[in-house]
Short mmCIF file of all heavy atoms in Angstrom, two decimals:
data_model
loop_
_atom_site.label_atom_id
_atom_site.label_comp_id
_atom_site.label_asym_id
_atom_site.label_seq_id
_atom_site.Cartn_x
_atom_site.Cartn_y
_atom_site.Cartn_z
N GLY A 164 9.07 -37.26 -9.92
CA GLY A 164 8.45 -36.41 -8.94
C GLY A 164 8.21 -37.03 -7.58
O GLY A 164 7.73 -36.34 -6.67
N LYS A 165 8.55 -38.32 -7.41
CA LYS A 165 8.26 -38.99 -6.14
C LYS A 165 9.51 -39.35 -5.33
O LYS A 165 9.43 -39.57 -4.13
CB LYS A 165 7.45 -40.26 -6.39
CG LYS A 165 6.02 -40.02 -6.84
CD LYS A 165 5.19 -41.28 -6.71
CE LYS A 165 5.00 -41.68 -5.26
NZ LYS A 165 4.13 -42.90 -5.13
N GLY A 166 10.65 -39.43 -5.98
CA GLY A 166 11.85 -39.85 -5.29
C GLY A 166 11.88 -41.35 -5.06
O GLY A 166 11.04 -42.09 -5.58
N ARG A 167 12.84 -41.79 -4.28
CA ARG A 167 13.02 -43.21 -4.03
C ARG A 167 12.23 -43.65 -2.80
O ARG A 167 12.37 -43.06 -1.73
CB ARG A 167 14.50 -43.52 -3.85
CG ARG A 167 14.82 -45.01 -3.80
CD ARG A 167 16.33 -45.22 -3.74
NE ARG A 167 17.00 -44.62 -4.89
CZ ARG A 167 18.31 -44.68 -5.10
NH1 ARG A 167 19.09 -45.30 -4.24
NH2 ARG A 167 18.83 -44.08 -6.15
N GLU A 168 11.43 -44.68 -2.96
CA GLU A 168 10.64 -45.19 -1.85
C GLU A 168 10.81 -46.70 -1.72
O GLU A 168 10.95 -47.41 -2.72
CB GLU A 168 9.17 -44.84 -2.00
CG GLU A 168 8.47 -45.45 -3.19
CD GLU A 168 7.00 -45.09 -3.27
OE1 GLU A 168 6.47 -44.48 -2.32
OE2 GLU A 168 6.37 -45.41 -4.30
N GLY A 169 10.79 -47.16 -0.49
CA GLY A 169 10.88 -48.59 -0.24
C GLY A 169 9.56 -49.26 -0.55
O GLY A 169 8.50 -48.82 -0.08
N VAL A 170 9.60 -50.32 -1.33
CA VAL A 170 8.41 -51.06 -1.71
C VAL A 170 8.21 -52.27 -0.82
O VAL A 170 7.11 -52.52 -0.32
CB VAL A 170 8.49 -51.49 -3.19
CG1 VAL A 170 7.27 -52.32 -3.58
CG2 VAL A 170 8.62 -50.27 -4.09
N ALA A 171 9.27 -53.03 -0.61
CA ALA A 171 9.19 -54.23 0.20
C ALA A 171 10.59 -54.65 0.62
O ALA A 171 11.58 -54.29 -0.03
CB ALA A 171 8.51 -55.37 -0.56
N ALA A 172 10.68 -55.41 1.69
CA ALA A 172 11.96 -55.93 2.15
C ALA A 172 11.74 -57.27 2.83
O ALA A 172 10.64 -57.58 3.31
CB ALA A 172 12.65 -54.96 3.11
N ILE A 173 12.80 -58.06 2.89
CA ILE A 173 12.76 -59.36 3.56
C ILE A 173 14.11 -59.58 4.23
O ILE A 173 15.16 -59.38 3.63
CB ILE A 173 12.41 -60.49 2.55
CG1 ILE A 173 12.32 -61.84 3.27
CG2 ILE A 173 13.41 -60.53 1.40
CD1 ILE A 173 11.69 -62.92 2.39
N ASP A 174 14.08 -59.99 5.50
CA ASP A 174 15.32 -60.17 6.22
C ASP A 174 15.80 -61.62 6.15
O ASP A 174 15.20 -62.46 5.48
CB ASP A 174 15.20 -59.67 7.66
CG ASP A 174 14.27 -60.50 8.53
OD1 ASP A 174 13.90 -61.63 8.16
OD2 ASP A 174 13.90 -60.01 9.62
N ARG A 175 16.88 -61.91 6.86
CA ARG A 175 17.50 -63.23 6.80
C ARG A 175 16.61 -64.33 7.35
O ARG A 175 16.81 -65.50 7.04
CB ARG A 175 18.83 -63.21 7.56
CG ARG A 175 18.67 -62.89 9.04
CD ARG A 175 20.01 -62.69 9.72
NE ARG A 175 20.82 -63.91 9.71
CZ ARG A 175 21.98 -64.03 10.33
NH1 ARG A 175 22.48 -63.00 11.01
NH2 ARG A 175 22.67 -65.16 10.25
N TYR A 176 15.64 -63.96 8.18
CA TYR A 176 14.75 -64.94 8.79
C TYR A 176 13.45 -65.13 8.02
O TYR A 176 12.62 -65.95 8.42
CB TYR A 176 14.44 -64.54 10.23
CG TYR A 176 15.67 -64.29 11.05
CD1 TYR A 176 16.04 -63.01 11.45
CD2 TYR A 176 16.49 -65.35 11.44
CE1 TYR A 176 17.18 -62.78 12.20
CE2 TYR A 176 17.63 -65.13 12.18
CZ TYR A 176 17.97 -63.85 12.56
OH TYR A 176 19.11 -63.63 13.31
N GLY A 177 13.26 -64.35 6.95
CA GLY A 177 12.05 -64.46 6.17
C GLY A 177 10.96 -63.49 6.57
O GLY A 177 9.85 -63.56 6.02
N ASN A 178 11.22 -62.61 7.53
CA ASN A 178 10.26 -61.58 7.88
C ASN A 178 10.13 -60.59 6.73
O ASN A 178 11.14 -60.18 6.15
CB ASN A 178 10.68 -60.84 9.15
CG ASN A 178 10.76 -61.76 10.35
OD1 ASN A 178 9.81 -62.47 10.66
ND2 ASN A 178 11.91 -61.76 11.03
N THR A 179 8.92 -60.21 6.41
CA THR A 179 8.68 -59.32 5.28
C THR A 179 8.08 -58.00 5.73
O THR A 179 7.41 -57.91 6.76
CB THR A 179 7.75 -59.97 4.25
OG1 THR A 179 6.52 -60.34 4.88
CG2 THR A 179 8.40 -61.22 3.66
N PHE A 180 8.33 -56.98 4.93
CA PHE A 180 7.87 -55.63 5.21
C PHE A 180 7.41 -55.01 3.90
O PHE A 180 8.00 -55.26 2.85
CB PHE A 180 9.01 -54.79 5.82
CG PHE A 180 9.73 -55.48 6.94
CD1 PHE A 180 10.81 -56.31 6.68
CD2 PHE A 180 9.32 -55.31 8.25
CE1 PHE A 180 11.47 -56.96 7.71
CE2 PHE A 180 9.97 -55.96 9.29
CZ PHE A 180 11.05 -56.78 9.01
N TYR A 181 6.35 -54.20 3.97
CA TYR A 181 5.78 -53.64 2.76
C TYR A 181 5.39 -52.19 2.94
O TYR A 181 4.97 -51.75 4.02
CB TYR A 181 4.52 -54.41 2.35
CG TYR A 181 4.78 -55.82 1.91
CD1 TYR A 181 4.64 -56.87 2.81
CD2 TYR A 181 5.15 -56.11 0.60
CE1 TYR A 181 4.89 -58.18 2.42
CE2 TYR A 181 5.39 -57.41 0.20
CZ TYR A 181 5.25 -58.44 1.12
OH TYR A 181 5.49 -59.74 0.72
N LEU A 182 5.50 -51.46 1.85
CA LEU A 182 4.90 -50.15 1.75
C LEU A 182 3.38 -50.35 1.87
O LEU A 182 2.82 -51.26 1.24
CB LEU A 182 5.26 -49.52 0.41
CG LEU A 182 4.69 -48.15 0.06
CD1 LEU A 182 5.30 -47.07 0.95
CD2 LEU A 182 4.98 -47.85 -1.41
N GLU A 183 2.72 -49.53 2.67
CA GLU A 183 1.30 -49.72 2.92
C GLU A 183 0.47 -49.78 1.64
O GLU A 183 -0.47 -50.57 1.54
CB GLU A 183 0.75 -48.61 3.83
CG GLU A 183 1.13 -48.75 5.29
CD GLU A 183 2.43 -48.03 5.63
OE1 GLU A 183 3.22 -47.74 4.71
OE2 GLU A 183 2.64 -47.75 6.82
N SER A 184 0.82 -48.97 0.65
CA SER A 184 0.02 -48.90 -0.55
C SER A 184 0.10 -50.15 -1.43
O SER A 184 -0.74 -50.33 -2.30
CB SER A 184 0.41 -47.67 -1.38
OG SER A 184 1.75 -47.75 -1.81
N VAL A 185 1.09 -51.01 -1.20
CA VAL A 185 1.23 -52.23 -2.00
C VAL A 185 0.97 -53.49 -1.19
O VAL A 185 0.99 -54.59 -1.75
CB VAL A 185 2.60 -52.33 -2.69
CG1 VAL A 185 2.89 -51.08 -3.50
CG2 VAL A 185 3.70 -52.59 -1.67
N GLU A 186 0.74 -53.37 0.10
CA GLU A 186 0.49 -54.54 0.93
C GLU A 186 -0.76 -55.26 0.45
O GLU A 186 -1.81 -54.65 0.25
CB GLU A 186 0.34 -54.13 2.40
CG GLU A 186 0.37 -55.29 3.36
CD GLU A 186 0.56 -54.86 4.80
OE1 GLU A 186 0.55 -53.63 5.06
OE2 GLU A 186 0.73 -55.72 5.67
N GLY A 187 -0.62 -56.55 0.23
CA GLY A 187 -1.71 -57.35 -0.31
C GLY A 187 -1.70 -57.40 -1.82
O GLY A 187 -2.41 -58.23 -2.41
N GLN A 188 -0.93 -56.53 -2.43
CA GLN A 188 -0.82 -56.47 -3.89
C GLN A 188 0.50 -57.06 -4.37
O GLN A 188 0.54 -57.78 -5.36
CB GLN A 188 -0.95 -55.02 -4.35
CG GLN A 188 -0.82 -54.81 -5.85
CD GLN A 188 -0.70 -53.34 -6.21
OE1 GLN A 188 -0.84 -52.46 -5.37
NE2 GLN A 188 -0.40 -53.06 -7.48
N PHE A 189 1.59 -56.74 -3.66
CA PHE A 189 2.92 -57.24 -3.99
C PHE A 189 3.35 -58.28 -2.97
O PHE A 189 2.94 -58.23 -1.80
CB PHE A 189 3.95 -56.11 -3.99
CG PHE A 189 3.79 -55.09 -5.09
CD1 PHE A 189 2.77 -55.18 -6.02
CD2 PHE A 189 4.68 -54.04 -5.19
CE1 PHE A 189 2.63 -54.24 -7.03
CE2 PHE A 189 4.56 -53.09 -6.19
CZ PHE A 189 3.53 -53.19 -7.11
N THR A 190 4.20 -59.21 -3.40
CA THR A 190 4.75 -60.22 -2.51
C THR A 190 6.24 -60.34 -2.74
O THR A 190 6.68 -60.58 -3.87
CB THR A 190 4.09 -61.59 -2.73
OG1 THR A 190 2.67 -61.48 -2.55
CG2 THR A 190 4.64 -62.60 -1.72
N ILE A 191 7.02 -60.17 -1.68
CA ILE A 191 8.47 -60.33 -1.77
C ILE A 191 8.86 -61.71 -1.25
O ILE A 191 8.27 -62.21 -0.30
CB ILE A 191 9.20 -59.21 -1.00
CG1 ILE A 191 10.71 -59.26 -1.27
CG2 ILE A 191 8.92 -59.29 0.50
CD1 ILE A 191 11.47 -58.06 -0.71
N SER A 192 9.83 -62.32 -1.90
CA SER A 192 10.31 -63.62 -1.47
C SER A 192 11.78 -63.75 -1.84
O SER A 192 12.30 -62.96 -2.64
CB SER A 192 9.49 -64.76 -2.08
OG SER A 192 9.58 -64.74 -3.50
N ARG A 193 12.43 -64.74 -1.25
CA ARG A 193 13.84 -64.97 -1.56
C ARG A 193 14.12 -66.46 -1.60
O ARG A 193 13.47 -67.25 -0.90
CB ARG A 193 14.76 -64.27 -0.56
CG ARG A 193 14.70 -64.82 0.86
CD ARG A 193 15.41 -63.89 1.85
NE ARG A 193 16.83 -63.74 1.56
CZ ARG A 193 17.62 -62.84 2.13
NH1 ARG A 193 17.12 -61.97 3.01
NH2 ARG A 193 18.91 -62.78 1.81
N ASP A 194 15.09 -66.83 -2.41
CA ASP A 194 15.56 -68.20 -2.50
C ASP A 194 17.05 -68.14 -2.25
O ASP A 194 17.83 -67.84 -3.17
CB ASP A 194 15.24 -68.80 -3.86
CG ASP A 194 15.61 -70.27 -3.96
OD1 ASP A 194 16.42 -70.76 -3.15
OD2 ASP A 194 15.08 -70.95 -4.85
N ASN A 195 17.45 -68.40 -1.02
CA ASN A 195 18.85 -68.26 -0.66
C ASN A 195 19.74 -69.28 -1.37
O ASN A 195 20.91 -68.99 -1.66
CB ASN A 195 19.03 -68.38 0.85
CG ASN A 195 18.47 -67.19 1.59
OD1 ASN A 195 18.31 -66.11 1.03
ND2 ASN A 195 18.16 -67.38 2.88
N ALA A 196 19.20 -70.47 -1.64
CA ALA A 196 19.98 -71.49 -2.33
C ALA A 196 20.35 -71.04 -3.73
O ALA A 196 21.40 -71.43 -4.25
CB ALA A 196 19.20 -72.80 -2.38
#
């Protein structure tokens, strides 16, 4: 009933973005190596 929503994202420079409702609750990270 909700469809697809973006939860979090991280770009090539390490900048992160979050859905407002999960900010402070979820953490996105990447290990390029």
